[in-house]
Every structure is written in structure tokens, then in C-alpha cells.
Amino acid sequence: MKRYILTILIFLTTQLFSNDLLQEIDNAFFPVKEFEFQLELNETKNGKIGKPVVYRTYSYPPDKCILIAKKPAIMAGNSTLRINDTIFVYTKKIDKMSQYSAKVAFNGSLFTQEDILNSMFSHFYSVESSEEVEYHGRDALKVTLVGKNRKVAYKTLIFYVDPQTLIPIAREYFSYSGKLIKRITIDEVTYKDGLLTYLKLTMHDLIRTNITNTAEFTNIQYKSVPKKYFTKNYMKVLAR
Amino acid sequence: MKVSILFIYLIMISSMIISQEFSISGDVESNFFYIEGLEDDCITGLTGSVFFNYYTIDNFSIVADLESEGSLSSDSSTDIMNIVVKQLYMNFFIEDFICYIGKKSKRIGSAEWFNISNRITPTFLDQGSRNNSSIGMVDIEYMFTNHINIDLITYFPDTKINIASSVTMSFLYLDLDLNYYFEEMENHYTAINLSSQLDRFNIYCEGSINEDYDIKLSLGTTYGGDTINITTEVLYGEENYYGGFSFTKSNLFIDNLTFNFSTLHSISDNTEEFWDLYSVDGAVSISYMYKDLLFTGYFNRSFGGDESEYILQNEVDFTLGLITSIYF
């Protein structure tokens, strides 16, 4: 009996510390307070770069985020809102509000809705294991995450983070069938006074290897964002 | 004195600084129709649409959605381009109120085809794809709480006055709308929508009842995959049953190639009612995107009453876009 209790206690303690680690990784990488930024998505296919899609984005960590498309003009006003596990998409031209799964591709890109709308992994995933490894010739901490429920986009994620700063180097994404399908590499990241000021990352499709998508976070402003922005009703006001 | 007046004038002007933005998008399509049974069974056409959106950063916007269509045939009597105003409205926001005035589409409910809870601008099928009607209205939405919206709409079909009100509620994964219509100030309709997202499936239900207790119910589900979309929907009425199915596959064999198949079937014998809205019984389309050009081929078989027609249509679309900011 004592052995079982001890095992459970060790398991719970490990979980607690592991999830503290994930929270530290989240906090080191993305701001924990609300902020506003511009997101630009680009697709490169067979070496040719497509037209960028630009969004004005408001984030209210840990679980709220809204994107309003600004460019191209044909998409202007279309908005996507995440409130915890629920994702709403508003199409301005036909006044249509729909619910989406976190697993669905974001506007046909390699990114899923979750990749774009989630900045706090500790809210949706828990740590399964962590170990120090060598990743592309440099020391890295390999952290394996599993979804807290089946609503998340991936069954398993592997983070490679810098052991000192905990800033991600790369992430690997596994489907529910257990197959490695995508990889994100952090191309450029800058901080000022401990706060993120610029980020560029690339999503590689490991099945269709001729396609990559980049996401660029610019014009990051740390300021108070009204909580009502993150409601389904207010989406129509912001959708301009 | 003159300098003072000029100074005051400049202050007034500068206090009225408003930042504004325009966005214009549109497309032009050339079409070729083959309709079996017509004397002149080949028709070539040219259609175009422009979506114009002007807004101030603060609280005001104007939307214009225009469409033009005409024939390219030299001997056709309809070679003059017609311009159709699909939507033209302004909207503004004051505190928790949103107000829309003009001709617009009002989306109520989730149904793809059997949009029975929407008595204002229901969706309809247009050569196999869904489309939205529009109507003149004054629509005032009040954000009662973060989860509850109250809507009052006055709309004007055929110069008659209709009034509708709805309460929209959203809790976790469940969306619930309660709608009440008071048509021509004498007929009553009550409608309800329920929809929920379960993983990749969106499940929805629409129901309506009128003062004669005529009940209609539509049930549907949409599966959203990365490259596959499947929708199934059924309509249950007092005398008629309809079933709809749609399958869309993007990246078919190669990137940028999309295949769509949709069909609607009357399960009962009564095919008279709803025929204007649900007349396509089979449509296949294949589209290919190359840079900014979208090439689409349609094959539709549609029939109404005793007639049936086959439409073979080719379409080339290109889109244009412009966003400009101006500051006064």
C-alpha cells in the first residue's frame, strides 16, 4: 500500500515540476500579458513565394486570441477568435459565423487553427518527458508534450529549447496516428527588456516537402486590450 | 483677427482628424453555358463583382457589394451589362449597440441548404453552390452580455414591413438562437437554431413553427478535414423530405486542384414546395488555381417541376485587391 502511495506521489510531483517547466518555456517565449501585433503569413511553394496575408491580432493569454484579416483586400475583415477550446470564424462578406476545430488548417495554410491562435502550450498540453540532447550540433532540452484532451490539434509535440534561456529552437508535430508530419524552426527572435519584439518562424511540411509557410510577428505593442474584444458578439465590430 | 480665426479653424479641423481605410476586392468571370433543350443552347456570358468596404478606425463603415452580368453573344438581345446591387449598407457602433441600415444579407442558422430558420435572407443554391439573398433592413444588435446578443430587425420585402427579433446565446461549444418573425404585421413564425462543434464535426439543427403549427426541421452535420469537407443535411416537413450531400476535396492528386460534388434529393413525391430554392439535384465542379487565376468547370443537372436541364459551364476568375489608408 505504502509503495502505491509513494509511486503516486512521485508521479504527481514529476507532473507538477514538468508542467512548471512548460509554463517557464511559455513565459520565456511569449508575453504573459495582453498585447497587440501584426501577423504576416507567407507560403513558399516550389521555391516561389506567394502573396502575404496580413492580420491584426490581439492576444489575451492564456487562452484568448483574435485575428482580423487586413490584406489581401478580398479577405479584409474576416476574423478568427479563440476562447479556450472554442474557435469561431466570421466571414464578413456573407455575415457568417462558424465554429471550427483547432485541428483544421488555418486558411488553407500548413498551420492549424491552434498553431496560430495558441501561444500558451501549458494551457492545452502537459509534459510527458524531458531530456538534454544534441540538436543540429547544439545543446538542447527536448520536451515531449501530450494533449490534455483530444480537442487539441496534435497528439504529441516535441519542443527543442535552449537549456539556458528556454527559448524554442524547433518544434516537431505528430498526428493522432503517431506520424511526424510537420516541423517549425525559429528563424529569428528578438527581445527587449525581456519582452518579445520580433519573431519569424517557418513551418515545414514533412510530407509535401516542396511547401513551407512562414509567420512573421511584427509591430508588437504591449498595451491593455479590452476583454470584450474576445467575445463572439464583438467580432463583428472588429471585423473591418 | 484673421490669424486668430484661422488658428481656431485649424484647431477645429485637427480635432476632427479621422483615420479611414478603403478596401476593394473583386473578380471577373467569363462563362460558357450549354443548356439542353434551348433553341440557342449555347450562351456565353461575362460577370463581375466588386466588394467595396470603407471604414473609419473608430466606429463607422460602408459596404457595397455589386455584381454585373451580361451576354457576350453578338446577336443577343441581352448584351447590355446589368448591374445588381447585392449589398449596400452602412453600419456604426455606439457602446454595446451595432446598427446596420441598407440592403444586406443576414445570416441566421448554420444550415447549408435548408435554412428554414432564416425568414429574412435564407441561403439558396445557385448552380450547385450556396448563395445568399439580401434585402433592405434596419438591424440593431445589442450586446447584452459577452455571451448573449439581442437583435431587432425591421425588413422590407415587396414594400411590406416585417419585424424579426432574435436572441443569440453562446456557451462553451453550444450556440443557441431563438428567432421570432412577425411578417406583414400579421403572420407569426418562431424558429430555433442549435449548433455545436465536436472535434472536426459541426452538428446543427434548425426548426420552425408557424401559427398553423406547421413544423419544419432540418438536421445537418459538416466534417471539416484538412483537404476534405463533407456536409450532409436533411429537411423534414409535413409533406416533404429532402436530403442533401456535398463532398469537397482540395489538393486532389496535385496541389491547387479542387473537386466538388453536391446533390439534393426529394425523398417524398411532393417536389413543388421549396423548388425555387433547392432546384439543383446534382452538380460537379473542378477548379484549378494558378497564381491569381481560378479556372473552374461546372456540370449541373437541375430540374424544376417537369423540366430538366443540363448546364455545362466554364469559368475563369481573377481577383483584384486594393487597400488604401487615408487620413484627414
Side-chain angles (χ1 to χ4, degrees), chain A residues 45 51 70 73-74 85-86 92-93 95-96 99 101 103 105 151 208 231-233 236 240, chain B residues 24 53 55-58 87 107 141 145-146 173 175 197 199-200 226 251 255-256 292 322-323:
Chain A
K45 193 179 281 181
K51 283 187 179 169
K70 305 303 283 183
I74 200 161
D85 284 337
T86 318
K92 183 184 170 72
K93 192 173 177 180
D95 187 33
K96 185 186 178 188
Q99 268 197 59
S101 160
K103 298 168 189 170
K151 286 191 172 67
R208 294 178 299 157
T231 60
K232 189 182 150 190
N233 296 338
K236 291 182 183 179
R240 289 185 287 153
Chain B
I24 301 170
N53 187 11
Y55 54 93
T56 65
I57 298 301
D58 300 325
Q87 296 189 86
R107 182 81 179 164
E141 289 186 22
T145 68
N146 286 347
Y173 314 113
D175 287 336
Q197 184 75 31
D199 204 15
R200 286 181 182 267
D226 286 343
N251 294 344
D255 292 339
N256 299 346
D292 287 341
L322 172 73
I323 292 188

Side-chain angles (χ1 to χ4, degrees), chain B residues 32-44 310-312:
Chain B
F32 169 79
F33 296 93
Y34 170 78
I35 303 173
E36 190 187 67
L38 279 185
E39 193 176 318
D40 183 9
D41 53 12
C42 290
I43 300 172
T44 51
Y310 297 86
I311 302 175
L312 188 64

Side-chain angles (χ1 to χ4, degrees), chain B residues 137-149:
Chain B
M137 67 175 77
V138 177
D139 178 4
I140 299 168
E141 289 186 22
Y142 172 55
M143 290 177 273
F144 184 60
T145 68
N146 286 347
H147 301 284
I148 299 174
N149 217 35

